[in-house]
Amino acid sequence: MHILERTTLIKAPRTDVFAFFEDPNNLKRITPGWMNLTIDCIDDLPVRSDFRIEYHIKWLSVVRMNWVTLIKDYEPPRFFADEQVKGPYKYWRHVHAFEEVEGGTQMRDRVQYELPFGPLGTITHKLLVQRQIKSIFDHRNRQIRKIFAIQARSLPA
């Protein structure tokens, strides 16, 4: 099992940050373009436990991968967790946690994942996937900071 953890300070109230992340339509805004993310189907809003999102990506811009996730744990505005039901991983669970702190909201991501294919999956992880996941979350954090910085500037004085 592999784990990626990230903490990001977002200069916005927790309710605003949580609302942004629980909206599946914002997923494309924070996903790198090279993943070619397309949302195919989402359950009717509002988000809740067992909320389903179906989408696909193009890995290495060539291989289409269908991905289905369910929101398994949902406690607004504290946290939610999505788990892969169908997709490229043997196991995938992403916990998004939000805590009010001085200066805004501290967002914590914790992704637990495992690749299929045993030893071949281990080699693929070391050669490619580990670096790609870090790159995805680096991009995501940059985009989040930009989005909330722009929103903060556009608020009336």
Side-chain angles (χ1 to χ4, degrees), residues 38-91:
T38 301
I39 296 176
D40 299 318
C41 183
I42 60 172
D43 282 352
D44 293 333
L45 294 170
V47 173
R48 62 202 169 278
S49 291
D50 293 327
F51 186 88
R52 185 179 177 98
I53 306 168
E54 298 178 19
Y55 48 96
H56 69 269
I57 60 172
K58 285 195 178 171
W59 189 53
L60 302 175
S61 298
V62 178
V63 181
R64 180 187 163 114
M65 294 184 168
N66 295 323
W67 203 335
V68 178
T69 57
L70 284 180
I71 303 296
K72 294 305 288 181
D73 299 310
Y74 182 70
E75 292 187 25
R78 293 181 47 236
F79 75 92
F80 66 94
D82 57 88
E83 293 184 8
Q84 174 189 282
V85 175
K86 177 184 176 187
Y89 294 90
K90 182 176 179 180
Y91 178 82

Side-chain angles (χ1 to χ4, degrees), residues 4-6 24 45 59 66 81 99 116:
L4 175 113
E5 293 181 321
R6 291 288 170 89
L45 294 170
W59 189 53
N66 295 323
E99 180 183 351

Side-chain angles (χ1 to χ4, degrees), residues 20-21 26-32 139-140 143-144 147:
F20 177 85
F21 280 93
N26 286 325
L27 187 57
K28 191 163 177 100
R29 294 178 67 188
I30 60 174
T31 301
H139 174 86
R140 181 176 180 266
Q143 292 304 107
I144 291 162
I147 289 165

Side-chain angles (χ1 to χ4, degrees), residues 9-13 100-106:
L9 176 64
I10 302 170
K11 296 180 180 182
E100 288 184 46
V101 296
E102 187 173 324
T105 301
Q106 183 170 284

